[in-house]
Amino acid sequence: MKISERIEKYWDTRSADFSRVRRMEIEGADFAAWNEIIKKHLPAGKNLKVLDVGTGAGFFAVLLSKLGHEVTGVDMSSKMLNEARKNISDLNCRADFFKMNAQELSFDPEIFDVVISRNLTWTLPDAMEAYKEWYRVLKRGGVLMNFDSDYGNKNFLNNETCAKGEVEDEMLVECNEIKNSLRISTHNRPRWDIELLETLGLQVTFDSDIAPLVHKDKKLEYDSVPLFGIYATK
C-alpha cells in the first residue's frame, strides 16, 4: 500500500472520533480562544477567500464561516469530509469541501487571501511540496497560517502523546509507523518550516507554543507536545 493510501485509511478510521472532539471544541471554551488568534492574524478586508487545507472535521471552516468569510476546505479523507459537511450543516454555516491532495491542489495561482491548516503537515509525505503549493495559490498580501506540532521523535504510545481521544493502541502503533516513515519527522520544527517559507519569499512570524492559549476546555484532553503557530505573509 502506498504511503498516501495508508495515511488516508488511517484518517478515515479516525474520522468519527476526531469529529466528536472537534465538535466539543466548537461548542466549548476552545472556540473563542481560537477565534481570537485567527482574527489577530487575518489580512485586512471582509469576505476573504480562505483555503482550509486538511480541513478534517471542518473546525476552521466553521470558525471562518462564522466570521463571514468564503471557505473552501480540502482533505484526502472522504470520511473526514463527510464529517465536515455534517458539522457545517448542523451549525448553520457554509463552506465548500473537496477531496484533494494537499501537495497537488487543483486551484489556479493566487486566488486565496488565506491558507490555513492545523494538525496536518506532520503527517504529509512531502511537506515541502505542500508548502510550495500553498504559496502558489496564495494571493500577494495573503497570509498562510499553519498550526502543528513536532512529533518527529515522539512515541504515540507513551503518556506524553496519548491524549488523542479514545484511540486504540492498534491505531497508535499505525500512527507511529506512518510518522516514522515520513521525511518531515527528521526535521527540527518549526525551524525547518520557517526557513523553507522564508526561502519561498514569505515574511514569517511564529509562536512556539499556543497550546496554553487555545486548550481551555477542561472536558478535553490534549497531548503535552507544544503546538506551534506559523504566520507567513506573501
Side-chain angles (χ1 to χ4, degrees):
M1 184 184 296
K2 293 180 180 179
I3 188 61
S4 58
E5 295 172 350
R6 192 174 178 184
I7 294 169
E8 181 177 354
K9 182 180 178 181
Y10 172 83
W11 288 114
D12 275 347
T13 304
R14 287 282 315 279
S15 59
D17 181 67
F18 195 83
S19 181
R20 178 186 62 80
V21 174
R22 290 294 177 260
R23 278 297 288 267
M24 291 177 69
E25 285 185 328
I26 290 169
E27 295 165 359
D30 289 4
F31 193 74
W34 273 107
N35 207 336
E36 288 304 309
I37 286 181
I38 299 304
K39 286 196 299 184
K40 177 181 176 182
H41 293 283
L42 287 175
K46 298 181 179 180
N47 302 318
L48 299 172
K49 291 190 65 175
V50 180
L51 177 63
D52 180 14
V53 188
T55 189
F59 178 82
F60 279 156
V62 170
L63 189 154
L64 286 152
S65 174
K66 284 183 175 291
L67 289 176
H69 302 302
E70 179 184 340
V71 185
T72 300
V74 300
D75 204 287
M76 70 186 303
S77 166
S78 296
K79 291 187 177 180
M80 279 291 194
L81 289 171
N82 288 339
E83 294 292 336
R85 293 185 182 104
K86 181 178 184 299
N87 290 329
I88 280 285
S89 176
D90 288 350
L91 295 163
N92 297 314
C93 297
R94 180 180 177 127
D96 295 318
F97 296 106
F98 301 97
K99 181 176 170 59
M100 199 175 297
N101 186 338
Q103 300 166 192
E104 298 176 9
L105 300 174
S106 300
F107 299 114
D108 292 333
E110 299 193 2
I111 63 170
F112 292 102
D113 300 290
V114 178
V115 176
I116 192 167
S117 186
R118 175 188 178 191
N119 194 42
L120 173 69
T121 33
W122 71 271
T123 189
L124 287 177
D126 195 334
M128 181 181 292
E129 286 305 308
Y131 273 132
K132 289 178 181 178
E133 273 291 88
W134 304 355
Y135 175 87
R136 181 183 68 81
V137 301
L138 188 65
K139 292 179 182 178
R140 298 287 172 180
V143 174
L144 187 162
M145 287 186 255
N146 186 23
F147 303 94
D148 203 12
S149 298
D150 187 0
Y151 289 120
N153 63 355
K154 305 301 180 184
N155 184 339
F156 289 112
L157 286 164
N158 69 21
N159 291 332
E160 185 180 21
T161 54
C162 67
K164 290 290 185 180
E166 298 173 1
V167 186
E168 296 180 358
D169 283 355
E170 179 183 357
M171 293 305 297
L172 294 175
V173 170
E174 174 68 357
C175 189
N176 270 334
E177 291 181 358
I178 290 172
K179 173 185 66 67
N180 291 338
S181 73
L182 302 177
R183 184 168 59 184
I184 195 167
S185 295
T186 67
H187 297 316
N188 184 347
R189 308 185 66 209
R191 186 177 69 184
W192 174 84
D193 306 68
I194 293 165
E195 290 176 351
L196 173 60
L197 292 171
E198 289 177 339
T199 298
L200 292 175
L202 291 154
Q203 295 181 317
V204 184
T205 60
F206 75 100
D207 291 320
S208 58
D209 187 12
I210 64 166
L213 302 178
V214 296
H215 294 166
K216 298 291 189 180
D217 197 325
K218 303 301 182 183
K219 299 188 297 294
L220 292 169
E221 290 186 77
Y222 296 94
D223 63 47
S224 60
V225 181
L227 172 64
F228 61 78
I230 294 175
Y231 321 100
T233 303
K234 184 171 180 179

